[in-house]
Amino acid sequence: MKSLNLGILAHVDAGKTSLTERLLHAAGVIDEIGSVDAGSTQTDSLELERRRGITIKSAVVSFPLADVTVNLIDTPGHPDFIAEVERVLNVLDGAVLVISAVEGVQAQTRVLMRALHRLRIPTLIFVNKIDRRGAQDERVLRSIRDRLAPAAVALGSVTGLGARDARYLPFAAAGDDLVSVLAEHDDALLAAYVDGTQALCPGRLKDELAAQSRRALVHPILFGSAITGAGVAELIDGIRELLPGVAGDTGGPPSGTVFKVERGPAGEKIAYVRMFAGTIRLRDRVPFRDVAGKVTAIRVFDRGTAVPASSVEAGRIGKLWGLGDVRIGDELGLPRTEPAERRHFAPPTLETVVVPARPADKGALHVALSQLAEQDPLIDLRQDDIRQETSVSLYGEVQKEVIQATLAEEFGLDVTFRETSTIHVERPVGTGAAAEFIAKPPNPFLATVGLRVEPAPIGSGVDFRLEVELGSMPYTFIRAVEETVRETLLQGLRGWQVTDCAVILTHTGYWPRQSHAHAVFDKSMSSTAGDFRNLTPLVLMEALRQAGTRVYEPMHHFRLDLPEDVFGTVLPVLARLGAVPGTSTPQGASYLVEGVVPAARVHELEQRLPSLTRGEGVLESAFDHYQEVRGQAPARPRTDHDPLNRKEYLLHVLRQV
């Protein structure tokens, strides 16, 4: 039997979760349609989701559709939880992108569609809420073609738009729009269309539409209402006919990707895995990264719930117990021959320090945040051991509120947050090198480490390389140097994470394991991994100081629709916020302004926009790039990972010893 792992994606409040409920009801999985407002939906199972009426965590629910088992994944729509969507994209066979017929194409809609295009995920577009006052069809269609996907084609029309009895009517015959879009990717069809002498039979067009939809060349558009059920039957037909079901090789070596991790009632880890090939069975020992774990329990999704199973095979999604060291993004079994792109959206650009209400809760807070970081690695938990402070990365203020509520409800911890600040990065300016040699003062450690730091291409991250032979010393020591390099670069010369650089190990040396005659192992005359972990920050920061760094701040690309008569008023405000308009295009009685603005000023622009434009201005913004900070560079307090003061750092390390 084939499987279809289907994502439901949308901007917040477009009706995505309500549509999921309607699909489950139509498939016979649930007897009564739940309500987001009442907190009774199938996929919003967290108490916090029910209370706030938004999806926070992705949820999986399964239902049969003819000869296909659909694993439907409901994802968050709020941009603060885009990391949940990112992890889901790696396991999808197809998607339904939901757009509100009232609000139309919104900022998050464009971000999601760009990612779907990049990954070539077959996508149907469902224009929801045709029964709502203010719903529009032609305007939304134009917006989809102009701002989302030129190769998008409507498969029907709407009657009674904006009324409770609004209905979706599929076209009885193919129109010119469909033929011209399909002909873009089929020369024979194009020739027949241009010549006009050959009949384009409906069967041929239907087959070609299905083929091009499954290759993500064309995006069919359907209209409807998740509340009344209008158009949902046609959407189900579209899912079955236009999206690709997968029949994986269940007999080959197992290969799967972990896209979600949660904790069970007893604190045990539960890994959600999409299987691409092979089969994982109960009590199998499964390798991932450089470790392995024994599967102690399996559940697979079936008709709305997760049921116990003895195995999970290719094409299916399962929940696995027993993999205590597993992390989101791990490849189970045989890694895929073509690894999925891991980063589809920009990383968080905000951070804050989390402060427990009771100082005695600092240890418990760190444990709780560590568990939350397992479920959302982009929280990027960082501990300042000297100041005893814990900070996390954020996408926005709503995410901060959710973290606060989760800590209170699940861990019994009351916390506050310091003021949210913007995350900057450092990049090396030039090349720098440094080395410390064993038994040569002032090096107090039994290790030799030499490092060179060089600039690397933008977006490349940190590349650690060897200029020494791999066998020049035990691999555990080389591994200790690499891990410490990556950890140390979290705090650069100015206190920000250092990125887009290459770090080359140029010198190594160690004393082998030894002891005095007839004595046990003597640590004072034998090198350990700790020697390399303690020495590496000193050498790396000296090399980095020689190279020099510059600080860069995150910039957002913005798109601003505003009335023509306030155009002259808004431009000076943009300038005061540090925005740099790129193009200004008149569009009838309005202006479209595009440009870049510092991420730190986006929130202020959002707050000021309604009063500046009488509530008519529409702002879209998304991270675009990092730009060098001119003038005085921002800095955050140094920590033990920023050992510029050699004497203080050595004293700190020796105290730990």
Side-chain angles (χ1 to χ4, degrees), residues 74 76 114 131 249 287 303 333 401 460:
D74 185 19
R114 281 197 295 268
D131 59 318
D249 177 14
R303 299 191 65 85
E401 295 171 16
S460 61

Side-chain angles (χ1 to χ4, degrees), residues 256-369:
T257 297
V258 175
F259 66 93
K260 178 177 178 178
V261 171
E262 65 183 17
R263 293 271 178 173
E268 73 278 15
K269 269 190 184 180
I270 306 170
Y272 285 65
V273 58
R274 155 72 197 271
M275 293 298 297
F276 290 95
T279 301
I280 291 180
R281 296 176 176 82
L282 203 59
R283 292 182 291 279
D284 276 356
R285 192 160 184 82
V286 180
F288 53 94
R289 295 198 314 277
D290 54 354
V291 297
K294 184 178 180 180
V295 178
T296 58
I298 298 175
R299 284 180 176 265
V300 296
F301 293 92
D302 182 45
R303 299 191 65 85
T305 187
V307 298
S310 59
S311 65
V312 54
E313 61 274 355
R316 300 296 299 272
I317 290 177
K319 298 168 68 173
L320 305 183
W321 279 256
L323 309 180
D325 295 320
V326 76
R327 299 193 302 236
I328 288 173
D330 280 346
E331 299 277 354
L332 302 187
L334 190 68
R336 298 171 64 189
T337 54
E338 296 182 3
E341 181 188 350
R342 290 301 176 199
R343 176 58 56 81
H344 316 301
F345 306 110
T349 57
L350 304 174
E351 71 171 0
T352 184
V353 174
V354 189
V355 182
R358 298 179 296 272
D361 287 340
K362 284 184 178 180
L365 174 62
H366 185 75
V367 171
L369 287 173

Side-chain angles (χ1 to χ4, degrees), residues 4 6 65 96 124 155 210 213-214 220 222 231-244:
L4 172 64
L6 178 70
L65 194 59
V96 174
L124 305 182
L155 301 185
S213 297
R214 291 168 182 167
L222 301 96
V232 173
E234 290 77 10
L235 175 62
I236 291 175
D237 290 340
I239 292 171
R240 185 181 68 250
E241 297 171 2
L242 303 177
L243 295 181

